[in-house]
Amino acid sequence: MKVLGIETSCDECCAAVVENGKKILSNVITSQIPFHAPWSGVVPEIASRKHTEWIYAVTNEALEKSKLRVTDIDAVAVTNRPGLFGSLLVGLSFAKAFAWARNIPFIAVDHMLAHLYAPFLEVGSERLEVGIEYPFLGLLVSGGHTIICRADGFDDITVLGTTIDDAVGEAFDKVAKFYNFGYPGGLVIDKMAQNGDNSAFRFPIPSLHKGDHRYDVSYSGLKNAVINQLDIFKVKTDFTKEDIAASFQKTAVDILQRALFNAAEDTGLSVIVAGGGVAANSLLRERLTQQAHLSCVFPPLELCGDNAAMIAGIGYHYLARGEVSALDVTAQSRVIGFKKKYP
Ligand code: KG4
Ligand code: ZN
C-alpha cells in the first residue's frame, strides 16, 4: 500500500510517499526558515500562508520523486495534531481534498506519535529499525513537547514524565533568540557548542528527581538563568558566546538524561527510542549511545524534525487496522493525553 503523507504542523511544508509503512519512496521537506528568521521564531500567520502557497508544489514533488502517478496512491495520511492551528488546517484541508477527489481512504494522525515511529522507516536500502520491539522507553523532544513515555505499540503510549514548564526545544530557541545567536536556535547552539567550553558556566539543574516528579523535567529555570547571564556576559570578556552555548547545552542534556535514566531504572526498560527535532542534538546522541546498559535508537538526522515520511509510515498501520478518519475531522493544537497523570 502506497501512502501519501502530509505534514504542516509548524514551519516545514512536507509531503512524502511511503510503501507499506516502511519504505520511503520520497520525502520532501521544505523549510520556511528564511521567512521566520527575522523574528527569531516561527510567526504562525506567515507559516500558514506559506503552507497554502507551497503545499501543492511540495506534494507534486513528492509524487515525482516517488516515480508514481496520482492514481498509484492508495491512501492519504496527514498530521491533524498537535501544532499551530492555522498551519495544521492547511495540510489537513489539502489531504482531505486529495482523498475525496481520488476517493481513497484518509487518516488524520498525531505527529508526536509519528516522531516515535521514525526509526521504523527504511531510508533507501537501509533499514533503520534493527530489532526494536515494544515495549520501549520513548523520548519525545521537540519545540513544543518533552515527553518520557512507555511505548507498548505505535499508538499506545503511557506518559511517565513531561516538562512542568517549557519544552527543551523551546529553551534552545529562546536562549538563541535572546543572545542573537541565529535561527533556528537548536541547530545553531548545537554547532556553536562544538567550539565552546561546557564548564565555563554552571547553570542550575532543577531539583525534580524525587517522588511524583522523578521522570519530569523543567527548562524555565535554566532558560532564565542563561538569559540573566547576558548582562554579565556583555561586560565580561574572558568567555565566548560558544562557552554560553556549550554550558547551556550540557545542562539541558543533563536534565533530560537524569529523568530518562530514572525512568529506565524504575521500569527496567533498556531500549530507548528518541524522536523530535531535539533528537538531532549531537551531545544528546553522543551521551545516550555511549550507555553500555542501554540501547538507544535515534532516527537519522533528516527524520528527527518534522517530516511527512513518518506520517505516511504510521498512517499505514491505522489503515491496515481498517481505521479511517471522517472528512469532518478537524485540527487540534494541543493533545490532552500528553499530560502526565499524577496519583
Ligand atoms: O520536531 P520539530 O521539528 O518540531 C516540533 O514538533 O516542535 O522540533 C523543532 C525543535 C526546535 O525547538 C529546534 O530548535 C529543535 O527542535 N532542534 C534542535 C536541534 N535541531 C532542531 N535542538 C537541539 N539540537 C539540535 N541539533
Ligand atoms: Zn515535531
Side-chain angles (χ1 to χ4, degrees), residues 4-7 14-18 27-29 77 306-313:
L4 169 70
I6 303 283
E7 150 61 47
C14 315
V17 182
V18 174
N27 188 22
V28 179
I29 304 170
D306 293 337
N307 67 86
M310 64 182 189
I311 304 301

Side-chain angles (χ1 to χ4, degrees), residues 148-226:
I148 293 172
C149 61
R150 177 193 160 102
D152 285 285
F154 74 90
D155 64 339
D156 182 9
I157 65 163
T158 308
V159 178
L160 304 172
T162 60
T163 178
I164 60 162
D165 39 55
D166 297 347
V168 57
E170 189 183 342
F172 273 88
D173 295 336
K174 292 273 164 64
V175 166
K177 181 174 177 160
F178 264 84
Y179 278 84
N180 241 330
F181 285 165
Y183 172 82
L187 190 60
V188 172
I189 289 182
D190 193 348
K191 281 202 181 131
M192 286 171 63
Q194 320 276 336
N195 302 314
D197 172 7
N198 68 15
S199 60
F201 295 88
R202 225 169 227 259
F203 293 124
I205 294 223
S207 48
L208 268 177
H209 50 284
K210 294 183 221 107
D212 290 349
H213 287 299
R214 217 169 126 69
Y215 322 125
D216 286 339
V217 295
S218 158
Y219 282 99
S220 153
L222 171 63
K223 177 190 74 183
N224 287 321
V226 180

Side-chain angles (χ1 to χ4, degrees), residues 1-5 15-21 23-28 57-76 98 102 104 312:
M1 182 190 259
K2 292 166 191 96
V3 179
L4 169 70
V17 182
V18 174
E19 190 169 8
N20 295 336
K23 194 172 170 45
I24 301 178
L25 302 181
S26 64
N27 188 22
V28 179
V58 165
T59 306
N60 243 346
E61 192 180 332
L63 284 170
E64 271 168 24
K65 288 195 166 148
S66 71
K67 301 200 169 42
L68 297 175
R69 286 163 305 173
V70 172
T71 46
D72 296 324
I73 298 296
D74 300 303
V76 187
F98 191 106
R102 301 274 339 122
I104 54 177

Side-chain angles (χ1 to χ4, degrees), residues 107-326:
I107 184 87
V109 306
D110 182 316
H111 107 265
M112 293 312 293
L113 290 180
H115 273 307
L116 215 48
Y117 184 78
F120 288 83
L121 293 163
E122 233 176 78
V123 182
S125 56
E126 191 191 339
R127 193 181 179 125
L128 302 175
E129 157 240 347
V130 191
I132 310 173
E133 278 180 22
Y134 295 104
F136 57 71
L137 210 53
L139 176 67
L140 282 169
V141 276
S142 70
H145 293 86
T146 311
I147 298 169
I148 293 172
C149 61
R150 177 193 160 102
D152 285 285
F154 74 90
D155 64 339
D156 182 9
I157 65 163
T158 308
V159 178
L160 304 172
T162 60
T163 178
I164 60 162
D165 39 55
D166 297 347
V168 57
E170 189 183 342
F172 273 88
D173 295 336
K174 292 273 164 64
V175 166
K177 181 174 177 160
F178 264 84
Y179 278 84
N180 241 330
F181 285 165
Y183 172 82
L187 190 60
V188 172
I189 289 182
D190 193 348
K191 281 202 181 131
M192 286 171 63
Q194 320 276 336
N195 302 314
D197 172 7
N198 68 15
S199 60
F201 295 88
R202 225 169 227 259
F203 293 124
I205 294 223
S207 48
L208 268 177
H209 50 284
K210 294 183 221 107
D212 290 349
H213 287 299
R214 217 169 126 69
Y215 322 125
D216 286 339
V217 295
S218 158
Y219 282 99
S220 153
L222 171 63
K223 177 190 74 183
N224 287 321
V226 180
I227 289 170
N228 290 340
Q229 199 70 43
L230 184 58
D231 292 338
I232 307 166
F233 177 71
K234 274 184 190 156
V235 287
K236 240 180 138 180
T237 49
D238 42 349
F239 293 116
T240 64
K241 55 187 183 31
E242 283 78 13
D243 294 339
I244 291 266
S247 305
F248 160 73
Q249 177 174 270
K250 178 195 168 290
T251 315
V253 172
D254 284 345
I255 294 171
L256 213 48
Q257 187 177 310
R258 185 180 62 180
L260 189 65
F261 288 2
N262 283 346
E265 192 182 317
D266 296 357
T267 57
L269 296 172
S270 60
V271 175
I272 296 171
V273 174
V278 185
N281 185 264
S282 57
L283 181 67
L284 181 69
R285 292 171 90 95
E286 187 190 312
R287 286 264 197 94
L288 296 189
T289 43
Q290 269 171 4
Q291 303 302 314
H293 61 297
L294 297 172
S295 161
C296 297
V297 186
F298 283 89
L301 293 180
E302 71 268 25
L303 294 180
C304 285
D306 293 337
N307 67 86
M310 64 182 189
I311 304 301
I314 198 169
Y316 164 82
H317 292 276
Y318 289 102
L319 294 161
R321 238 172 26 191
E323 285 174 44
V324 290
S325 298

